[in-house]
Amino acid sequence: MTELQESSTAAQIGEQAGPLALDQDSVVGRNVYQAGERLHSRPGDGSLSRSERVQRPIPPNSLTWKYFGDRRTFLTILRTAGLENMWPQLGQAVSDHSQVFGDKANFAERGARSRRIIGTLVYATPEDAKKIAVKIRNYHKTLKGDMPQGHTYHAINPETYYWAHVTFFEAIYNWVDHFGRRPLTRAEKEQIFEESKEWFSLYGVDDSAQPQTYDEFVEYLADVFENELISTTVSRYTFGFAVKPLPAPPGMHPVAKKHVWPRVAALVRLLNVGALEPILRDRLELVWTEDDQRNFTRVSQFMRAFSVVYDRLPLRYRFHPDTVAAFEREGIDPKDITLESAKAALAASRATFAARSAEVVP
């Protein structure tokens, strides 16, 4: 039995009746957990060895490629960062190891940086994607520490690492449903979920926490929102833009800083808090009024209408540079990617991978 299996088994035995609630506020480093929270034990490094890894590439003709590199993903980047930091172990890792609390960094910059790094992975060639993904994983191997009640955490614990992965592909569902030309269909969401399995396989992390079907994923996501994500000092700090506007970027012209930036900051709040699930807004005690909801709906409707124009712009205006380069490399126009072509691409990719795997089996 491996160290990870032993620690996971011990944690399961200790939590058969569910985790105990904190009897008082608990301070760990710069983070504070509120009395009454129930925290699961999630220790152990779920990294797979080279011989254990089964890395499958994301097909270029995928819905993931069609949507993930769209510049509109940045509209709710702070929501994505917030969902990560509401997961207790990820929030604690940020508290212990990140510099986002300093004067020269903030969660908006961290979110944008993370998206660029993950984008490099998604749009890389298969061989480069395998290397980049393992490099990303290995960067997190030293991120571990203490939690309340004597528990510990590790950034590559299978459940924790999978949730971090979910926040990126679930963001596609969120922004397209709110701001795309039309919401995704169930079939399209199911297809993106299937593609997310290939994506996660690239990291070389134990995938035991990953649901097998889209229906299971829907149940998993609802359970995480209901029972896993919590309000701590770190998660409230992440959503601080909802209470205190984001500071203007360094070097902004004083006139723009005074007259333009306040409106931009207000829009950032509206989009990211509006796209957040009501249960999480309530948990974080974020103020959201009927006027806020009406304004959010108006912006959503405007973005849908504007999509008719937006989708006709040159790729360099609609997609991030790494995405544009990948489409040009593969000779693909994202408007030509459909649910049917994505299904065919994934089926062909899996068949090719299975054939190659069979060749090396004695």
Side-chain angles (χ1 to χ4, degrees):
M1 183 177 288
T2 66
E3 179 183 350
L4 173 60
Q5 291 171 326
E6 289 174 349
S7 60
S8 297
T9 300
Q12 291 169 358
I13 293 174
E15 295 192 2
Q16 287 179 350
L20 296 175
L22 296 175
D23 57 6
Q24 60 183 359
D25 288 356
S26 181
V27 180
V28 182
R30 294 176 291 187
N31 207 4
V32 180
Y33 298 82
Q34 298 175 339
E37 295 290 3
R38 298 178 182 272
L39 306 175
H40 291 279
S41 178
R42 292 191 171 105
D45 182 344
S47 300
L48 300 177
S49 66
R50 183 185 296 271
S51 62
E52 294 173 317
R53 293 199 293 265
V54 181
Q55 295 173 286
R56 304 184 303 273
I58 307 169
N61 235 320
S62 60
L63 293 185
T64 299
W65 269 48
K66 182 181 181 74
Y67 291 114
F68 186 71
D70 193 296
R71 291 185 183 275
R72 286 171 290 186
T73 56
F74 272 141
L75 294 174
T76 55
I77 194 71
L78 289 174
R79 173 187 176 273
T80 299
L83 290 184
E84 286 194 5
N85 294 331
M86 289 186 76
W87 184 273
Q89 291 77 14
L90 285 174
Q92 190 60 48
V94 168
S95 174
D96 291 344
H97 302 284
S98 178
Q99 299 300 315
V100 296
F101 296 100
D103 294 334
K104 296 182 179 180
N106 58 54
F107 283 109
E109 292 173 354
R110 174 178 174 264
R113 184 170 62 251
S114 296
R115 192 262 152 235
R116 286 193 294 271
I117 294 171
I118 300 299
T120 301
L121 159 65
V122 169
Y123 294 99
T125 62
E127 288 308 310
D128 285 345
K130 294 176 183 179
K131 297 174 184 176
I132 295 168
V134 173
K135 184 177 180 180
I136 292 172
R137 182 204 69 182
N138 289 345
Y139 173 78
H140 294 86
K141 286 183 73 67
T142 60
L143 305 185
K144 52 188 175 181
D146 297 322
M147 296 285 290
Q149 299 172 315
H151 296 319
T152 60
Y153 73 86
H154 197 295
I156 314 183
N157 166 271
E159 292 177 278
T160 297
Y161 206 83
Y162 182 67
W163 174 248
H165 171 60
V166 167
T167 63
F168 285 101
F169 78 82
E170 185 273 346
I172 297 174
Y173 298 164
N174 189 270
W175 84 255
V176 178
D177 282 355
H178 287 304
F179 310 118
R181 178 178 291 192
R182 60 167 177 78
L184 293 169
T185 65
R186 176 196 159 85
E188 288 169 329
K189 290 183 178 181
E190 185 172 3
Q191 176 64 23
I192 291 170
F193 168 70
E194 287 297 321
E195 294 166 1
S196 79
K197 295 179 182 178
E198 321 300 289
W199 183 349
F200 191 65
S201 76
L202 293 169
Y203 293 113
V205 174
D206 178 354
D207 66 359
S208 57
Q210 179 175 248
Q212 293 305 300
T213 68
Y214 178 69
D215 284 336
E216 291 176 358
F217 174 72
V218 171
E219 294 178 1
Y220 162 86
L221 194 61
D223 180 67
V224 169
F225 287 157
E226 178 71 32
N227 300 308
E228 299 286 355
L229 304 185
I230 66 173
S231 176
T232 65
T233 302
V234 171
S235 58
R236 290 192 298 275
Y237 182 90
T238 313
F239 284 97
F241 65 88
V243 179
K244 183 179 180 180
L246 287 171
M252 176 173 279
H253 191 280
V255 174
K257 185 175 182 179
K258 180 178 179 180
H259 297 287
V260 178
W261 184 253
R263 291 174 173 78
V264 173
L267 183 62
V268 168
R269 172 192 175 276
L270 185 74
L271 297 183
N272 285 272
V273 180
L276 191 65
E277 287 62 25
I279 189 176
L280 301 182
R281 287 202 297 259
D282 292 344
R283 194 165 299 159
L284 293 162
E285 299 180 338
L286 299 177
V287 174
W288 187 251
T289 67
E290 291 182 1
D291 283 344
D292 287 330
Q293 185 59 50
R294 280 193 290 270
N295 288 333
F296 180 79
T297 300
R298 291 189 185 105
V299 172
S300 178
Q301 292 172 340
F302 170 79
M303 292 296 294
R304 288 197 189 289
F306 180 68
S307 291
V308 176
V309 176
Y310 183 88
D311 291 345
R312 295 176 180 175
L313 296 175
L315 292 187
R316 67 180 181 277
Y317 297 122
R318 294 159 45 204
F319 293 92
H320 298 289
D322 53 0
T323 309
V324 175
F327 282 137
E328 292 176 347
R329 183 186 72 233
E330 300 293 335
I332 294 174
D333 188 326
K335 70 178 176 58
D336 295 330
I337 300 176
T338 65
L339 173 61
E340 290 70 27
S341 68
K343 283 185 174 181
L346 182 60
S349 178
R350 287 179 172 176
T352 299
F353 180 83
R356 290 176 179 172
S357 298
E359 291 176 359
V360 301
V361 175

